[in-house]
Amino acid sequence: MIERKLGGGDLSSTAFTWIRDGVLINRMHINPVAFAFAYCFADAPAADCGDRLIDLINFGFARSGISCREKIQAYRREFDAKPAFADETLAAAVDFYNDLATSMARSCSFFPGVVELLGEIKARGGSNFITSAVEQAVLDAWEETAQGQLIAASLTAILGKQAGFSKGRDHFARISETINRGQIIAVADAPSEIATAAALAGQFNIMPVGFAFVVERSAVLEALRQAIFLTDNSLLLDSAHLDTSDTGKLGGRLDLPGEAAVIAALKARGASYVVSGAADKIVGNLARLLLAELAIADDKV
């Protein structure tokens, strides 16, 4: 039974959850590179890490949707025959990641149409929440930047990682309570994020929507060059035997799925709908789905 259409105007009992890095901002070429450098920072000296730099970047993409801390722990556990990092080393690596990713992201911008879409949702009475695995203090600082202020007025809240409060069940429970257990539309680009939303769909009335943006090799290579420049890490570059101008050789080692594979992965993990498209088109496609075409029906959740 169809309860209502989003195009009908009233969204007062509907919340939309957004992933800042990868859905709102086109920066998913940056985060896996920053993760790789953070791991190398923790696993000093850099010479011990350089030969697997691209493997670390690939791992960062494959585990998109979880925090840098969780990625570091997972890589250490699964691929390193070494003891787990000490807590202080892990904390320092996360700080390194946050600083590097923030610096690199200054060159990134919202996908075209994001500011307008969030404003339209708010005008119709809907709620917009950013849900992120990034530390709350980092997100609070970002909200005060010129970029953050572009959408701040359209947001109900930015939810990050706090003590005893994390992305996933905790965030969805808070959002559900805020909208009196209304409908949550969870828009996410990582299969793990879609899987979490799908697993909690029954409990919190969630509809997962996949955002299938394809990251290009050229963007990742540019992020790698940028990270090397910002960290002045010639030792890492030399130990990796990388020439970042050799895009054919290096690009061939990057494991970046095409559009069909990205769409299939999101659907396989539970996305009710998936949108795709180039950087200048994908948010327009999403807006048409959310505000014109998508019927919220019991039999579609």
Side-chain angles (χ1 to χ4, degrees), residues 12-13 15 127 129 156-157 159 171-182 184:
S12 58
S13 61
S127 302
F129 293 84
T156 301
L159 304 180
H171 286 186
F172 283 127
R174 174 74 58 82
I175 293 165
S176 180
E177 180 181 358
T178 301
I179 61 169
N180 297 316
R181 304 189 64 80
I184 298 174

Side-chain angles (χ1 to χ4, degrees), residues 196-220:
T196 298
L200 298 171
Q203 183 175 359
F204 297 117
N205 196 14
I206 302 170
M207 178 180 289
V209 175
F211 190 86
F213 179 68
V214 177
V215 178
E216 299 291 341
R217 279 174 163 76
S218 58
V220 180

Side-chain angles (χ1 to χ4, degrees), residues 28-253:
M28 275 313 297
H29 54 296
I30 280 177
N31 291 3
V33 173
F35 154 73
F37 275 67
Y39 192 94
C40 291
F41 171 85
D43 197 37
D48 293 339
C49 187
D51 60 353
R52 53 186 171 164
L53 183 64
I54 303 305
D55 290 337
L56 282 162
I57 294 174
N58 286 336
F59 185 85
F61 275 110
R63 298 301 174 90
S64 178
I66 64 175
S67 69
C68 178
R69 177 185 295 269
E70 291 169 311
K71 287 190 187 80
I72 289 174
Q73 292 171 316
Y75 189 92
R76 190 72 161 184
R77 182 173 59 250
E78 296 174 27
F79 294 99
D80 258 347
K82 298 179 182 178
F85 289 120
D87 288 344
E88 58 270 23
T89 300
L90 191 58
V94 171
D95 288 343
F96 178 92
Y97 168 85
N98 287 330
D99 290 343
L100 179 58
T102 297
S103 296
M104 294 171 71
R106 293 191 180 111
S107 62
C108 300
S109 58
F110 290 114
F111 283 99
V114 160
V115 176
E116 295 79 5
L117 175 56
L118 268 59
E120 176 68 13
I121 287 171
K122 183 179 181 183
R124 297 191 187 199
S127 302
N128 291 303
F129 293 84
I130 289 177
T131 177
S132 175
V134 175
E135 288 74 13
Q136 188 69 50
V138 176
L139 296 169
D140 290 344
W142 170 80
E143 186 179 15
E144 297 302 317
T145 67
Q147 185 180 66
Q149 287 297 297
L150 287 174
I151 63 170
S154 297
L155 296 176
T156 301
I158 300 177
L159 304 180
K161 183 175 180 56
Q162 304 174 43
F165 184 71
S166 300
K167 179 179 173 181
R169 180 182 295 276
D170 294 341
H171 286 186
F172 283 127
R174 174 74 58 82
I175 293 165
S176 180
E177 180 181 358
T178 301
I179 61 169
N180 297 316
R181 304 189 64 80
Q183 177 84 62
I184 298 174
I185 310 295
V187 185
D189 61 312
S192 63
E193 294 161 341
I194 291 294
T196 298
L200 298 171
Q203 183 175 359
F204 297 117
N205 196 14
I206 302 170
M207 178 180 289
V209 175
F211 190 86
F213 179 68
V214 177
V215 178
E216 299 291 341
R217 279 174 163 76
S218 58
V220 180
L221 294 171
E222 182 55 38
L224 179 56
R225 296 185 189 99
Q226 189 179 6
I228 290 169
F229 173 78
L230 287 171
T231 60
D232 191 25
N233 209 326
S234 57
L235 175 60
L236 179 59
L237 182 62
D238 291 343
S239 66
H241 307 294
L242 299 178
D243 176 1
T244 58
S245 65
D246 183 5
T247 58
K249 179 180 178 181
L250 183 56
R253 294 176 57 197

Side-chain angles (χ1 to χ4, degrees), residues 1-4 182-186 197-209 270-273 294-301:
M1 179 182 69
I2 295 177
E3 298 175 346
R4 65 186 182 277
Q183 177 84 62
I184 298 174
I185 310 295
L200 298 171
Q203 183 175 359
F204 297 117
N205 196 14
I206 302 170
M207 178 180 289
V209 175
S272 299
Y273 299 89
L294 179 57
I296 300 179
D298 293 340
D299 63 352
K300 290 187 179 180
V301 177

